[in-house]
């Protein structure tokens, strides 16, 4: 069967502990349950992510500076010792329906910024929609930015369907 993939990409931004990861997980779970293929790219601006636990073979391989791939019956894990462009990631993932990017504020993708407790206006210039909870007053969000319910992932998915970039 030849499936036509949607290949829709959208980005999520927001300050630490605003709920970005929880939202991406909720959206991804719903899309997966509906049978869609979802890919996620996580920005790690402080280089904190590690590939495997200390002392494991893949950790030892990675520490040599080599690019490492671990291939098992159900997954492939790649650890590349240099950064990748979003286009390279898209090519690597191959066919997918949704690409959810967490972070990478400078990436030219439609963007949902996530806020709880406090708005950060520095996100406004790169934001197309704001997902917020009841701790944020919708009146404080500029009228040119769409307002979404942080606790309603179906509403977020609806926005993504209409606004995501086809890649």
């Amino acid at each position: 069967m030849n499936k036509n993939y949607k290949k829709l990409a959208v980005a999520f931004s927001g300050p630490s502990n605003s709920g970005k990861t929880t939202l991406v997980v909720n959206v991804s779970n719903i899309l997966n349950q509906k049978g869609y293929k979802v890919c996620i790219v996580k920005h790690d601006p402080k280089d904190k992510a590690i590939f495997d636990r200390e002392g494991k073979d893949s950790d030892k391989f990675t520490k040599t500076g080599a690019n490492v791939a671990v291939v098992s019956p159900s997954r492939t894990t790649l650890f590349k010792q240099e950064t990748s462009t979003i286009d390279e990631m898209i090519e690597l993932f191959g066919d997918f329906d949704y690409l959810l990017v967490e972070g990478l504020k400078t990436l030219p993708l439609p963007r949902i910024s996530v806020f709880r407790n406090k708005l950060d206006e520095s996100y406004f210039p790169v934001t197309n929609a704001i997902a917020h909870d009841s701790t944020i007053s919708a009146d404080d969000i500029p009228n040119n930015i769409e307002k979404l319910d942080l606790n309603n992932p179906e509403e977020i998915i609806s926005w993504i369907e209409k606004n995501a970039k086809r890649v």
Side-chain angles (χ1 to χ4, degrees):
M1 180 183 101
N2 186 5
K3 180 179 187 321
N4 286 329
Y5 288 92
K6 293 179 179 241
K7 289 225 168 186
L8 297 176
V10 67
F12 296 82
S13 289
S16 289
N17 297 312
S18 60
K20 294 181 303 292
T21 299
T22 301
L23 179 59
V24 169
V25 166
N26 290 342
V27 165
S28 180
N29 282 335
I30 290 168
L31 292 171
N32 276 309
Q33 287 165 4
K34 291 181 176 183
Y36 292 113
K37 185 173 178 186
V38 179
C39 299
I40 299 173
V41 172
K42 163 80 172 116
H43 187 213
D44 178 22
K46 296 187 176 106
D47 247 342
K48 293 190 301 191
I50 58 168
F51 183 51
D52 203 350
R53 291 190 302 278
E54 182 78 31
K56 294 304 236 173
D57 290 351
S58 49
D59 177 61
K60 291 175 188 173
F61 296 151
T62 302
K63 285 182 175 166
T64 71
N67 292 336
V68 179
V70 177
V71 181
S72 69
S74 63
R75 69 179 57 112
T76 299
T77 307
L78 176 66
F79 196 85
K80 207 172 101 174
Q81 297 285 359
E82 60 266 351
T83 193
S84 296
T85 66
I86 196 67
D87 291 333
E88 289 169 328
M89 298 302 299
I90 288 167
E91 191 174 327
L92 186 66
F93 283 134
D95 286 330
F96 60 87
D97 292 298
Y98 296 90
L99 174 62
L100 310 177
V101 178
E102 183 179 323
L104 291 165
K105 258 201 296 196
T106 57
L107 205 61
L109 284 177
R111 184 169 307 276
I112 298 171
S113 290
V114 179
F115 296 104
R116 286 185 309 167
N117 301 318
K118 182 177 182 286
L119 281 174
D120 180 341
E121 295 181 8
S122 72
Y123 287 85
F124 291 179
V126 297
T127 297
N128 303 95
I130 289 179
H132 65 96
D133 65 9
S134 60
T135 63
I136 303 281
S137 168
D139 295 338
D140 294 336
I141 298 171
N143 289 331
N144 63 323
I145 299 175
E146 285 191 62
K147 299 156 189 72
L148 303 169
D149 180 353
L150 178 58
N151 298 312
N152 184 346
E154 291 284 358
E155 180 183 66
I156 309 282
I157 290 168
S158 219
W159 187 91
I160 292 169
E161 288 286 326
K162 285 189 229 110
N163 297 282
K165 180 180 179 182
R166 186 170 292 279
V167 294

